[in-house]
Amino acid sequence: EAQVTQNPRYLITVTGKKLTVTCSQNMNHEYMSWYRQDPGLGLRQIYYSMNVEVTDKGDVPEGYKVSRKEKRNFPLILESPSPNQTSLYFCASSSQPTARPHEQYFGPGTRLTVT
Amino acid sequence: GENVEQHPSTLSVQEGDSAVIKCTYSDSASNYFPWYKQELGKRPQLIIDIRSNVGEKKDQRIAVTLNKTAKHFSLHITETQPEDSAVYFCAASKIGGYSTLTFGKGTMLLVSP
């Protein structure tokens, strides 16, 4: 089954404790992205990756890191989480331009709470 | 960069009524406009999209219209049903290579039986 998976789905942590949210897709997609969703602010892109070892900042990259060592995986790293990073995070992947060039397949989301 | 404005933020309709959600974009080079639906507690999913060389596209009860000159596009849902209740996001992007998909802030649609 074609899918994007994220782990963990829920995480409560404390300020300053490094954490990683994993994302994996099995559709051989080149493009992957991370978004955060906050009430009233919609979906804002944190980072994206066009291919292995190619990443770039989105609209709200501060406080986050990513890496793309393998095509299928795109982990999101919070080196020193702060309460303002409490949010719902979505990973997404998409294929090369096709009839639907940028259809984003979203993961199930990770609800992160930083206290 | 691209900026997408979406209105209204909430929309309540009676079952069977039509619903219209409107978006405007700022970058005249944007040429791909998808709409995503996010049901409560679930992930966003693409429901319809339109390219800038097309003025209107329909898929059963949903349709999208695009006015390139005015830089706005709209989602139309006819004969609404309670299962249409969700948050709807519009977005804008450029076809070719990879460009950021910029989302609007979302519209919560509530369809009352």
Side-chain angles (χ1 to χ4, degrees):
Chain A
E1 179 190 354
Q3 60 181 349
V4 178
T5 57
Q6 292 178 230
N7 282 292
R9 296 287 315 279
Y10 303 91
L11 179 61
I12 300 174
T13 190
V14 296
T15 299
K17 185 177 182 183
K18 181 179 178 179
L19 66 92
T20 299
V21 184
T22 64
C23 174
S24 183
Q25 51 94 3
N26 64 359
M27 294 170 279
N28 202 36
H29 285 167
E30 290 195 351
Y31 313 124
M32 298 185 75
S33 300
W34 275 103
Y35 296 88
R36 62 178 288 174
Q37 183 175 14
D38 302 289
L41 297 178
L43 291 158
R44 294 180 294 167
Q45 191 177 55
I46 303 170
Y47 269 95
Y48 64 94
S49 170
M50 291 180 283
N51 211 328
V52 175
E53 302 292 2
V54 182
T55 63
D56 207 348
K57 297 177 181 178
D59 298 320
V60 287
E62 294 78 20
Y64 305 94
K65 285 176 58 177
V66 293
S67 68
R68 187 91 181 274
K69 294 185 171 61
E70 304 166 283
K71 196 172 186 179
R72 63 183 292 125
N73 297 323
F74 191 43
L76 179 70
I77 303 156
L78 285 72
E79 294 270 4
S80 183
S82 62
N84 65 10
Q85 293 179 296
T86 292
S87 187
L88 177 59
Y89 291 86
F90 286 102
C91 179
S93 72
S94 57
S95 63
Q96 289 185 7
T98 61
R100 278 186 158 171
H102 292 306
E103 176 170 6
Q104 305 265 307
Y105 292 86
F106 285 85
T110 295
R111 171 95 41 202
L112 172 65
T113 302
V114 184
T115 61
Chain B
E2 176 65 275
N3 182 50
V4 177
E5 299 283 341
Q6 183 172 348
H7 298 280
S9 56
T10 60
L11 178 59
S12 295
V13 300
Q14 291 291 121
E15 183 175 0
D17 289 349
S18 294
V20 180
I21 302 170
K22 298 181 179 181
C23 289
T24 60
Y25 61 99
S26 61
D27 187 349
S28 57
S30 289
N31 54 11
Y32 175 67
F33 307 94
W35 287 87
Y36 285 79
K37 175 183 180 183
Q38 185 181 27
E39 296 176 353
L40 187 64
K42 296 192 176 180
R43 70 193 80 187
Q45 290 191 298
L46 181 71
I47 56 170
I48 194 168
D49 54 13
I50 190 169
R51 294 193 186 204
S52 58
N53 58 350
V54 174
E56 183 175 359
K57 185 176 179 181
K58 277 187 176 181
D59 184 2
Q60 300 182 333
R61 295 187 297 107
I62 61 173
V64 57
T65 58
L66 171 65
N67 183 325
K68 278 189 64 177
T69 303
K71 289 191 283 189
H72 67 70
F73 56 112
S74 301
L75 178 71
H76 305 253
I77 306 174
T78 58
E79 301 173 21
T80 54
Q81 301 167 3
E83 52 264 40
D84 293 329
S85 295
V87 178
Y88 292 81
F89 293 98
C90 62
S93 180
K94 302 182 195 62
I95 295 173
Y98 184 92
S99 69
T100 301
L101 193 61
T102 303
F103 286 87
K105 289 183 168 54
T107 296
M108 179 176 290
L109 173 64
L110 300 170
V111 182
S112 304

